[in-house]
Amino acid sequence: MKLDKTHLLIAGAALISFVSVAGILANLSSKSGGAPQKSTVAPVKKSATAVKVSGPKGAAPSVIRPSLLGLRGALPSFVALPSTVAPSSITITQSPSGVSAPALFAQTTNAPAITLSTQSSPKEDDSLLEGKISAISPQPINGDAAPPPLPPKRPVDLDVIAQANSLNASDASPLATEVASSLVSPAGPPPQVIDAPTPPPRPKVLTGSEAPTTQSPLDSATQAASAVTSSARPPEATLRPAQEDSFQQPPPKLGMGDPVFVRIFKQEGQLELWLKKNGKFHLYKTFPICKWSGRLGPKEKEADYQSPEGFYSVSARQLNPHSNYHRAFNVGYPNAFDKQNGRTGGLVMVHGACKSVGCFAMTDRGIEEIYGFVEGALRAGQRDISVHIFPFRMTEANIVKETGGGWLAFVGGPNYSQWNNFWRNLKQGYDLFEQNGEPPVAFACSDHYEFGSGSAACKRVAGW
């Protein structure tokens, strides 16, 4: 193969360029202090390379700009840059030995690393950026890895607060309060300190031990809240033992078939139905009486339109479920006492239809309920049912008022003084039931009643 003129020209240009570069480098080295120029080519791994420029020890740091190198022809003219430049990141760090120049171009895989040694120029400005500029690669050269960036410095305020929280509660509270106030309060002149009087010492407790000299703000707040609560809270009531009758048993369940007792009050117009449960009579219900005939006082003869008064008894033969007045039962007039005293008449009923001629008339609904309990008691085995008929509730005041001993005697009211002894005899049987809760057994003894037992001349009041 023959060399033509073109090849010779290229070789000559390369030689000239090489000589020129060598001369320029020698010139630069002589200007910087006569230090020998040293070029080192080190083998590299298969990774990106970096160009480092460092000065001798003890020299002032300087910055070598890429434009200066280009203008002075630092690189040979025959060196061609690669068409594709890989992106690189530039990190600026402080270097004690010198200043590194920025990477002028991206290194290829097999490109060598060129290290240029130079002395810093005393004419360079010290205010320029001091650092190290290098291209970071996945695998650093010769194990020199760039140090990772340091985290930002922790604020001073957070350190102070953390130190305050680590102290004891008694010592930390003033410090934390001071720090918090310094963070929140705006900048300005310090607040004026008022010389307040010292509070009196805390009194001794009942046990004789003295109160602690120091107290945390939390304890003070707790004591203040307790004082407010105790002052607002009413004093607790003292528990006292309950009375004997405070816990009463609920009333028993009364039902059909229980023993029955009936009381009638003419003046009040009421009929009381009592049922016996657990050995004691209980008031089941009070029914209003629609009508009763006559006025106060007993029935003495037939067709006097009077309703009887006294102690009577009802048996099963005295029931009339098919009465013309819905339901009815005969009270048993005349009883043994009425017959002994020559009283006549009969067919005195407790019935419905709210009509009365000498009887005690109830509503149909009322007599239906009363009659059902009376019949149920007789069917359940009760021999006879006591029916006590009174002119009014037999109290001493009512007897005095109706017999002319009260103020009615002066205003010309009705006078029932002739029945004073009779009514007082009825009051004896009334009081026995009020005291014992059990209707007494009445005996007819000519001109009066006896209760419980009677003499040989007395006859027990019973049904038919």
Side-chain angles (χ1 to χ4, degrees):
M1 177 179 175
K2 294 181 179 181
L3 297 175
D4 54 4
K5 295 180 180 182
T6 302
H7 293 152
L8 294 176
L9 289 176
I10 292 174
L15 180 60
I16 295 171
S17 298
F18 181 77
V19 173
S20 298
V21 170
I24 292 172
L25 292 178
N27 187 20
L28 290 176
S29 177
S30 62
K31 289 183 179 181
S32 61
Q37 183 179 0
K38 181 171 56 178
S39 176
T40 304
V41 179
V44 297
K45 300 179 181 179
K46 295 181 179 181
S47 60
T49 60
V51 177
K52 299 182 180 180
V53 178
S54 60
K57 294 184 180 181
S62 61
V63 177
I64 299 177
R65 297 178 180 84
S67 60
L68 181 60
L69 295 176
L71 291 176
R72 294 181 180 180
L75 296 177
S77 60
F78 61 85
V79 177
L81 295 177
S83 60
T84 303
V85 179
S88 62
S89 59
I90 301 175
T91 304
I92 302 174
T93 58
Q94 186 175 2
S95 175
S97 60
V99 179
S100 62
L104 299 181
F105 55 89
Q107 301 292 334
T108 60
T109 303
N110 297 325
I114 302 174
T115 302
L116 301 179
S117 299
T118 180
Q119 295 181 353
S120 60
S121 174
K123 298 181 180 180
E124 294 291 339
D125 190 2
D126 294 340
S127 62
L128 296 177
L129 178 64
E130 299 179 1
K132 180 180 181 180
I133 304 175
S134 60
I136 299 177
S137 59
Q139 296 182 357
I141 303 174
N142 297 331
D144 294 335
L150 297 177
K153 187 176 182 181
R154 189 174 187 182
V156 179
D157 297 338
L158 296 181
D159 294 337
V160 175
I161 294 175
Q163 182 179 3
N165 293 336
S166 63
L167 299 178
N168 295 331
S170 59
D171 299 334
S173 298
L175 181 59
T177 306
E178 183 179 357
V179 172
S181 61
S182 63
L183 294 177
V184 176
S185 60
Q192 184 178 1
V193 179
I194 301 175
D195 188 8
T198 305
R202 186 177 180 184
K204 298 180 180 180
V205 294
L206 298 179
T207 57
S209 60
E210 297 183 356
T213 56
T214 59
Q215 187 177 11
S216 64
L218 180 60
D219 296 338
S220 302
T222 304
Q223 292 180 359
S226 301
V228 173
T229 306
S230 60
S231 61
R233 183 186 304 167
E236 297 182 0
T238 304
L239 297 179
R240 298 179 180 177
Q243 300 179 0
E244 296 181 358
D245 56 347
S246 299
F247 303 98
Q248 297 181 355
Q249 295 182 354
K253 295 183 179 180
L254 305 175
M256 199 74 64
D258 294 336
V260 174
F261 169 58
V262 177
R263 286 201 308 182
I264 296 175
F265 299 98
K266 293 167 64 175
Q267 190 177 61
E268 288 82 3
Q270 295 177 346
L271 183 148
E272 293 180 350
L273 181 64
W274 294 73
L275 301 179
K276 190 174 185 179
K277 199 75 172 182
N278 300 330
K280 183 179 179 181
F281 277 96
H282 302 272
L283 179 61
Y284 171 74
K285 188 181 290 186
T286 300
F287 298 87
I289 300 174
C290 280
K291 291 182 180 179
W292 55 275
S293 299
R295 58 180 186 172
L296 297 182
K299 182 177 180 63
E300 296 182 283
K301 59 183 178 180
E302 188 177 359
D304 61 357
Y305 300 103
Q306 279 290 110
S307 298
E309 296 173 2
F311 301 95
Y312 298 90
S313 186
V314 177
S315 63
R317 295 177 58 187
Q318 297 170 233
L319 301 181
N320 185 8
H322 306 291
S323 171
N324 294 332
Y325 300 95
H326 191 60
R327 296 281 191 272
F329 59 87
N330 195 314
V331 298
Y333 177 87
N335 60 5
F337 179 84
D338 296 327
K339 293 177 181 179
Q340 290 176 2
N341 289 273
R343 297 173 181 176
T344 60
L347 298 178
V348 178
M349 303 283 184
V350 177
H351 58 71
C354 203
K355 297 178 182 180
S356 174
V357 180
C359 298
F360 299 98
M362 313 297 294
T363 62
D364 291 348
R365 185 175 180 179
I367 193 60
E368 189 74 30
E369 190 171 5
I370 297 169
Y371 185 90
F373 279 101
V374 171
E375 182 181 15
L378 294 174
R379 289 181 180 276
Q382 187 173 356
R383 181 178 178 181
D384 48 18
I385 295 173
S386 298
V387 179
H388 295 181
I389 304 173
F390 301 105
F392 40 77
R393 296 195 178 271
M394 305 305 294
T395 62
E396 186 65 26
N398 288 339
I399 293 176
V400 172
K401 183 179 69 173
E402 298 299 338
T403 56
W407 61 272
L408 289 176
F410 299 98
V411 297
N415 189 353
Y416 301 105
S417 58
Q418 71 274 22
W419 307 120
N420 184 41
N421 294 334
F422 175 69
W423 286 348
R424 290 189 179 277
N425 184 223
L426 298 181
K427 186 178 184 301
Q428 296 176 3
Y430 175 87
D431 291 341
L432 288 173
F433 178 75
E434 292 291 329
Q435 296 171 4
N436 304 327
E438 186 74 23
V441 178
F443 290 86
C445 303
S446 182
D447 59 346
H448 66 282
Y449 288 100
E450 292 186 8
F451 306 96
S453 61
S455 61
C458 299
K459 186 177 181 180
R460 182 179 182 273
V461 176
W464 300 346

